[in-house]
Amino acid sequence: EWSSRIKGKETRHLSIFGRISDIILLFIFGLIILKYLGVDITPLVASLGIGGLAVALALQETLSNFIAGLSIIGDKSIKVGDYVELENAELAGYVDDISWRTSRIKTMGGDYIIVPNTKLSQSITKDYNFGSPVTYAGATLFIGYKNDLEKVERITNKVALEVQNSVE
């Protein structure tokens, strides 16, 4: 299931880049056509620059999340399907989606946590899948001195096999 979801998400992210480049190219071609038809495009370009500055100031946080999302997608440091842990283990789970403003992380309990892309890109992140498709989990056991160690080992191995067979 994860592999098919990963392929779909990568395709979707590539289409976002495609849409942005299409819009930029259409805008440039539109200006070229207007210039060819004899329309003075200088006031239009100047007003678009001033309007763009006003929009950029109004949408500063949204644009920073957007650029952080593009950065995460572009450098592929974190991918959909990776198991990540953010600073000091305050947040851990599988990356379910990286969108233009936020990233969605699914915890082991099945809950979804929405993280702004700027927080995800600025935090120290441990990616358990980076470089290796194997995910591991550790556990600390406290055993009394009077316990039978061979019995503890058998029970621990049995539980570990059950977890390994039941958890995706």
Side-chain angles (χ1 to χ4, degrees):
E1 182 181 342
W2 280 108
S3 61
S4 64
R5 295 179 79 182
I6 291 170
K7 289 178 186 171
K9 299 297 179 184
E10 286 178 357
T11 303
R12 193 177 109 214
H13 293 313
L14 291 176
S15 69
I16 289 172
F17 288 119
R19 285 187 206 147
I20 291 171
S21 64
D22 287 347
I23 290 170
I24 291 171
L25 287 174
L26 284 173
F27 178 72
I28 291 171
F29 286 135
L31 288 177
I32 291 171
I33 290 171
L34 287 174
K35 182 74 171 174
Y36 181 75
L37 293 173
V39 176
D40 186 18
I41 60 170
T42 306
L44 178 63
V45 172
S47 63
L48 286 175
I50 293 170
L53 180 63
V55 169
L57 289 173
L59 299 174
Q60 185 174 3
E61 187 175 335
T62 302
L63 288 174
S64 65
N65 280 318
F66 176 72
I67 291 170
L70 292 178
S71 172
I72 291 169
I73 294 166
D75 70 2
K76 297 181 182 176
S77 57
I78 298 171
K79 297 180 290 303
V80 173
D82 285 359
Y83 186 82
V84 297
E85 182 179 294
L86 298 184
E87 296 180 57
N88 304 322
E90 71 178 41
L91 172 68
Y94 289 95
V95 178
D96 187 62
D97 185 33
I98 302 172
S99 67
W100 63 274
R101 193 181 71 79
T102 60
S103 295
R104 190 170 57 217
I105 297 176
K106 184 177 183 180
T107 64
M108 291 299 275
D111 299 323
Y112 286 96
I113 299 173
I114 310 299
V115 181
N117 286 333
T118 52
K119 179 172 170 108
L120 186 62
S121 67
Q122 292 173 354
S123 67
I124 298 170
T125 307
K126 183 187 284 188
D127 188 345
Y128 289 94
N129 295 100
F130 193 76
S132 171
V134 178
T135 302
Y136 68 92
T140 304
L141 301 175
F142 296 98
I143 302 166
Y145 290 111
K146 295 181 180 180
N147 290 346
D148 180 11
L149 292 180
E150 290 178 4
K151 183 177 180 182
V152 170
E153 184 179 7
R154 280 193 313 272
I155 292 171
T156 304
N157 286 334
K158 180 181 175 188
V159 170
L161 284 172
E162 288 175 5
V163 170
Q164 187 177 13
N165 292 330
S166 65
V167 175
E168 185 178 326

